[in-house]
Amino acid sequence: MTTPPPPHGPAPHAPAAPVTRPHAQVHFGVFFQGVNHTTIWSDPESGSQTDFASFEQVVRTAERGLFDAFFLGEGLRLRETRGRVHDLDVVGRPDAITQLAALAAVTERIGLVATQNTTYHDPADLARRLASLDVLSGGRAAWNVVTTDNAWTGENFRRGGYLDHADRYERAAAVLAVARGVWDAFPDGPGGDVARVSVPGADLRTPRDLVLDVTTPRSPQGHPVIFQAGDSPQGRDFAAAHADVIFSRHGSVLADALEFAADVRRRVVAAGRPEDDVKIFPGTAIVVGDTAAEAEEKERWVRRAQVTPATALSIVGNVWGEDLSSYDPDGPLPAHDPVVAELGGERGSATTGARTHEIARQWRAVAEAEGLSIRELVIRNAGERGFTGTPGAVADALTRWVRTGAVDGFNLSPWIVPAGLDDVVEKVVPALQERGAYPTAYTGTTLREHLGLREPLTRRGARERAHDAESEPALTPVP
Amino acid sequence: MTDLTTPFLVGLDVDGAGAHPAAAAATGLTPAELVGAARLARSVRWAENAGVTFATFTDALLPAVPGSPDSARLDAVTRAAFVSRTTTAIGLVPQVATTYPEPFHVATQLASFDIAASGRGGWLATTTLTAETADAYGRDPVTDLAREARDVVQAVRDLWDSWEDDAVIRDVATGRYVDRDRLHHVDFVGETFSVKGPLITPRPPQGQLVVLAAAGAVAPSVREPLVDVTLVGGSDVATARAAARAATGPATEPATDTATGGAALAVLDLEVVLDTDGRTASTRLAELEAATPAGARTDWGGAALRYTGDAAGLAGLLAELAASGDVAGVRLLPAVLDLDLPVLARDVLPVLRAARLTAAPRAGATLRETLGLPRPANRYDARQRSGTSRTRPAALPATANA
């Protein structure tokens, strides 16, 4: 569990920071995330989380709002709590590439981003499916690269939990090398042959070397755009070396976002790339109202609706390592100390041992000091997230974030599906456009163009080689 | 024996430039044109407008001719998902191999595709004979292809049922989105892999997508018929009809990998080369054969029956097959899509429709409805199991050999 920002700390857009990019424009993506408690499925406004029509409505709304990208997450095993499927949040989602291929047929410009895990996909299949989406969408595909080493997830796959934690980014880099090889294999013009891709099994952690002949020609954007979402130092280095866009968590506090951006740019330069080669898109939420007070009220309602009584008990139960569903959510935290149990799917990260006791101790202290019930504490811990205010105030804040260089854009997570994006598109986008801080039309056709990205990393070599025999060969795998 | 109330089925393969290995070179399209969205959508819409029952999307991970841009091809599920939103009636059947891909991913992708297609999805489950495909996965070659196919199809079918239809309850009073008792670990254990489940995607609209497979490709399971539609071939009409009768007859001893039978429907694979473009079919075929690259990986000239001739002759052959009652339909494999499909659409399929032998699928119908197949009960739903002698599937052996 990440440490939440203080609930009544500095407003997210308060600190002064120098404007370094006075003409930069805000960019938006939308993350159709679904399967955690940010999606308020219980509201009467909330539609089907499964029907294609819901996805279509969100993506069409986003395209109407000139968004750069529509994101889908990936699940490889349903979340479980103590051996049973977690039942309080939205459960179930489509395969990302399949769903995005269907959405490509009903959209024209918006980018389509598929989260896909490098551990439990075979690189030959994954690279080909991403290339297929990229070609059919006319160069609008992206791959959000994620890793895992979780043996519990591996129970759904042929090889089980085969990968050591320390090897997960090595495997990811090797999978990406296969993918770039696949995407570079077709000749640029008529007459040439399709190159063969080879990557050592030792790099991929496969029993034998991978040797692959390719069937997928290049799309108009050359390669699918690469997103990366890991926040650890290793994850940031991976992004600096390989990614076009970082999907960060730093979307609520400007000082934090500036610090993150500086760190990323340092790593990008260290990787031998121009410092603006990697775009930063934090996940965030936008709540608007006609007045500041109305927006604040709505934001409080959202936070409360996201943390139902059952969800509050489940979140506290995960720290305590036991089923607390019989507790009163409007009553105090358990009086006894947490049980430190084996890791399950729900408790995937670092919530173990001493850390569990430390979290429980902090929560008790806060709850006692502020007189909070279980549910009130969980709501408080979620913190203020994102941007809340009138459309104009939110537009000012978003513009400031972009023009101080903290971010290049924002990935919005609507809390109501499918109508949750309407306010942003109908109110915030026009306010940004009035400020000259948002496009008034799509100018390109590909996602790479929307994001203002350079050529794919391995394609730059090909261009330069035409003029400079000394430069790197085009098919060298990304280091 | 075919149900007389279901019209004769006419499937059509819409892959690339056509089923003949020289089709792409003969068509003269660039790789980008060959696989692009515009051509894909147009081919399938054309088939839908012609009243075709279902389109298949032939696929393979590896190219027909390594190194050749003419072998350009995109992933079949991705293609089928794309055209699911540009069509409303035609069944869509991507080919997905069982030999190397992950069963969990296959199940998820096909379930998602069926949701996008509003229940018009099928799966042509195939085995991969090409030894080089193992190299593309960095794995050792699979030796028992039919057994692996059996385990993969069985695991996928279990996963499609791992959500009961009414698993999503949205019970605001208790805060529960799903009833976890209606989600099931499948605990499938096969010869070479196991899968825990449940699937990440809810049960597809058809419950189970329609599974098509060539006769003998999928070894039988002791638990259930794994294939809904068996694709048969034959060197002449008589042998093809005999193969169809065998495919839909009683299942033979499941312990043998060459066992047949048990499928609901048999469909005849039929390669077609038609008189068109100012040339006779046999002239066209001779030109294509002469232009075929040496060593091309292709199913052309394999098990399928072949028709070479004019449109009237083909209409007559299809009418004869429909009247025989042995085959439920055909899957047409056009030598060159852009040449043979226009003739099919103009001179062959309208004749059959006029004679009420075939009927275009109804917009909004699921593929199961179009094929006259029932929507299956869920194997994990206790209410639907009650009154039968079945025990819990998780307790059943996953395979004939287990």
Side-chain angles (χ1 to χ4, degrees):
Chain A
M1 184 152 299
T2 54
T3 307
H8 303 293
H13 32 81
V19 169
T20 55
R21 304 187 297 188
H23 304 294
Q25 294 203 316
V26 173
H27 292 254
F28 284 137
V30 55
F31 186 48
F32 197 121
Q33 81 183 42
V35 300
N36 60 41
H37 68 263
T38 56
T39 303
I40 305 172
W41 57 261
S42 56
D43 189 77
E45 292 292 310
S46 171
S48 170
Q49 310 293 313
T50 305
D51 288 354
F52 185 82
S54 291
F55 292 79
E56 183 173 4
Q57 186 176 331
V58 173
V59 76
R60 282 186 186 279
T61 304
E63 192 167 64
R64 187 157 49 86
L66 307 174
F67 280 38
D68 288 348
F70 173 88
F71 279 68
L72 289 178
E74 181 187 44
L76 297 179
R77 184 158 176 184
L78 295 185
R79 290 164 60 203
E80 292 181 7
T81 307
R82 289 175 291 282
R84 306 200 67 200
V85 170
H86 182 74
D87 57 359
L88 303 179
D89 298 336
V90 171
V91 179
R93 50 182 161 193
D95 172 71
I97 293 175
T98 306
Q99 188 80 342
L100 293 173
L103 291 169
V106 298
T107 52
E108 299 282 336
R109 297 294 187 97
I110 192 166
L112 303 164
V113 190
T115 302
Q116 300 277 281
N117 188 293
T118 52
T119 305
Y120 293 114
H121 284 281
D122 286 299
D125 282 334
L126 178 57
R128 185 167 186 261
R129 287 167 48 73
L130 287 164
S132 299
L133 175 64
D134 204 23
V135 169
L136 288 180
S137 64
R140 295 188 281 138
W143 172 20
N144 181 30
V145 180
V146 296
T147 66
T148 186
D149 55 77
N150 185 329
W152 178 82
T153 303
E155 288 179 1
N156 280 333
F157 298 97
R158 288 180 180 273
R159 296 180 68 193
Y162 72 96
L163 192 66
D164 288 340
H165 183 76
D167 292 346
R168 68 197 194 284
Y169 279 109
E170 280 73 26
R171 159 85 181 181
V175 171
L176 193 54
V178 173
R180 295 219 190 257
V182 167
W183 302 334
D184 284 336
F186 262 65
D188 283 321
D193 282 349
V194 182
R196 174 170 289 175
V197 177
S198 306
V199 171
D203 293 359
L204 284 161
R205 275 64 175 172
T206 48
R208 292 171 43 215
D209 294 346
L210 180 147
V211 181
L212 173 65
D213 286 308
V214 176
T215 70
T216 46
R218 235 188 308 286
S219 86
Q221 65 173 353
H223 289 190
V225 171
I226 302 297
F227 283 69
Q228 202 277 341
D231 200 36
S232 66
Q234 251 186 313
R236 293 183 191 193
D237 278 338
F238 183 90
H242 302 295
D244 299 303
V245 186
I246 291 188
F247 182 4
S248 89
R249 297 175 190 165
H250 305 272
S252 292
V253 178
L254 182 56
D256 167 56
L258 284 164
E259 190 180 308
F260 176 78
D263 180 66
V264 165
R265 291 192 181 114
R266 220 164 23 240
R267 291 173 197 263
V268 169
V269 170
R273 303 170 63 184
E275 72 163 20
D276 64 346
D277 222 28
V278 178
K279 308 298 182 189
I280 300 172
F281 273 62
T284 197
I286 289 177
V287 180
V288 293
D290 290 340
T291 64
E294 185 189 315
E296 297 288 344
E297 176 60 28
K298 195 158 153 191
E299 200 265 351
R300 277 193 295 276
W301 175 85
V302 169
R303 288 210 284 151
R304 193 166 172 81
Q306 285 171 334
V307 181
T308 64
T311 293
L313 292 172
S314 171
I315 287 172
V316 175
N318 284 328
V319 170
W320 257 257
E322 61 184 298
D323 181 2
L324 299 180
S325 59
S326 62
Y327 274 65
D328 178 4
D330 299 318
L333 289 169
H336 60 276
D337 283 336
V339 179
V340 176
E342 288 296 301
L343 284 185
E346 173 73 17
R347 311 178 68 211
S349 53
T351 319
T352 55
R355 182 150 160 69
T356 298
H357 286 285
E358 173 61 16
I359 289 171
R361 193 194 59 74
Q362 283 177 1
W363 284 12
R364 273 218 194 91
V366 170
E368 280 165 23
E370 301 182 18
L372 302 178
S373 69
I374 288 176
R375 189 179 181 203
E376 288 165 342
L377 176 78
V378 173
I379 293 168
R380 177 209 178 275
N381 282 350
E384 283 184 5
R385 279 167 306 158
F387 298 82
T388 299
T390 62
V394 167
D396 286 338
L398 297 172
T399 305
R400 190 173 310 121
W401 275 56
V402 168
R403 292 186 172 172
T404 56
V407 301
D408 296 283
F410 301 88
N411 271 310
L412 308 181
S413 295
W415 60 91
I416 298 277
V417 169
L421 214 51
D422 294 3
D423 270 356
V424 174
V425 170
E426 287 159 18
K427 296 173 181 170
V428 179
V429 164
L432 285 166
Q433 287 169 331
E434 283 168 19
R435 288 158 175 77
Y438 198 82
T440 52
Y442 286 109
T443 52
T445 61
T446 69
L447 178 56
R448 190 171 296 280
E449 289 172 307
H450 301 339
L451 293 166
L453 295 170
R454 298 183 179 87
E455 290 276 279
L457 282 170
T458 51
R459 299 289 298 160
R460 298 180 200 171
R463 285 287 157 95
E464 287 156 15
R465 193 170 47 166
H467 307 288
D468 176 8
E470 300 286 300
S471 65
E472 291 290 302
L475 275 175
T476 299
V478 177
Chain B
M1 191 60 69
T2 303
D3 177 0
L4 293 175
T5 62
T6 303
F8 192 66
L9 311 172
V10 181
L12 176 75
D13 193 71
V14 295
D15 180 50
H20 195 282
T27 307
L29 298 170
T30 67
E33 291 166 342
L34 182 64
V35 302
R39 177 181 168 80
L40 173 66
R42 194 197 56 163
S43 297
V44 181
R45 186 176 303 116
W46 203 345
E48 181 172 74
N49 291 345
V52 167
T53 317
F54 62 90
T56 60
F57 301 80
T58 291
D59 199 14
L61 175 67
L62 297 184
V65 180
S68 168
D70 283 340
S71 296
R73 179 185 266 159
L74 304 183
D75 170 70
V77 177
T78 310
R79 280 185 278 161
F82 183 85
V83 294
S84 75
R85 305 309 301 183
T86 63
T87 54
T88 58
I90 191 170
L92 302 168
V93 185
Q95 175 175 340
V96 183
T98 55
T99 310
Y100 297 101
E102 287 284 356
F104 190 87
H105 291 322
V106 172
T108 307
Q109 289 158 12
L110 290 170
S112 303
F113 154 59
D114 197 44
I115 293 171
S118 304
R120 290 184 288 129
W123 172 24
L124 175 52
T126 54
T127 54
T128 302
L129 298 166
T130 310
E132 291 85 347
T133 304
D135 297 334
Y137 288 87
R139 289 172 52 190
D140 294 325
V142 171
T143 50
D144 192 337
L145 299 175
R147 186 190 71 186
E148 187 69 9
R150 173 200 65 197
D151 284 355
V152 170
V153 175
Q154 184 71 74
V156 168
R157 284 193 178 280
D158 287 354
L159 287 165
W160 284 338
D161 274 359
S162 63
W163 290 58
E164 295 183 27
D165 290 318
D166 52 3
V168 174
I169 54 171
R170 299 178 76 132
D171 183 357
V172 175
T174 61
R176 292 180 307 148
Y177 179 78
V178 288
D179 178 351
R180 50 173 49 150
D181 292 334
R182 301 178 200 182
L183 295 170
H184 303 275
H185 289 132
V186 302
D187 287 316
F188 177 84
V189 180
E191 294 289 332
T192 67
F193 67 90
S194 61
V195 179
K196 181 75 180 175
L199 202 62
I200 60 161
T201 307
R203 194 172 191 231
Q206 299 181 95
Q208 300 266 318
L209 280 76
V210 179
V211 178
L212 292 75
V218 181
S221 160
V222 294
R223 284 175 41 194
E224 62 182 321
L226 291 176
V227 176
D228 300 303
V229 179
T230 298
L231 298 176
V232 299
S235 52
D236 55 46
V237 172
T239 54
R241 287 176 56 184
R245 285 194 298 272
T248 52
T252 53
E253 181 52 49
T256 62
D257 279 356
T258 53
T260 57
L265 302 171
V267 164
L268 173 63
D269 267 344
L270 182 59
E271 296 173 354
V272 290
V273 193
L274 297 170
D275 295 353
T276 186
D277 203 26
R279 291 171 298 161
T280 66
S282 49
T283 301
R284 285 184 53 218
L285 182 59
E287 288 171 4
L288 287 167
E289 300 287 351
T292 302
R297 298 171 182 136
T298 176
D299 292 331
W300 183 265
L305 186 67
R306 180 179 300 165
Y307 175 83
T308 308
D310 65 7
L314 178 58
L317 171 61
L318 296 177
E320 176 195 337
L321 288 166
S324 80
D326 287 331
V327 297
V330 291
R331 178 173 70 128
L332 302 174
L333 302 158
V336 178
L337 195 60
D338 289 2
L339 295 179
D340 293 299
L341 176 53
V343 184
L344 290 168
R346 188 185 63 228
D347 299 329
V348 179
L349 301 182
V351 175
L352 301 174
R353 270 209 308 285
R356 296 185 187 271
L357 293 172
T358 63
R362 180 170 52 78
T366 69
L367 180 55
R368 284 188 169 273
E369 289 166 348
T370 299
L371 300 183
L373 299 173
R375 187 177 191 278
N378 190 318
R379 67 201 60 198
Y380 300 106
D381 183 336
R383 294 161 301 173
Q384 295 190 32
R385 279 205 317 275
S386 64
T388 75
S389 59
R390 291 185 68 176
T391 51
R392 290 187 67 81
L396 282 170
T399 69
N401 304 326

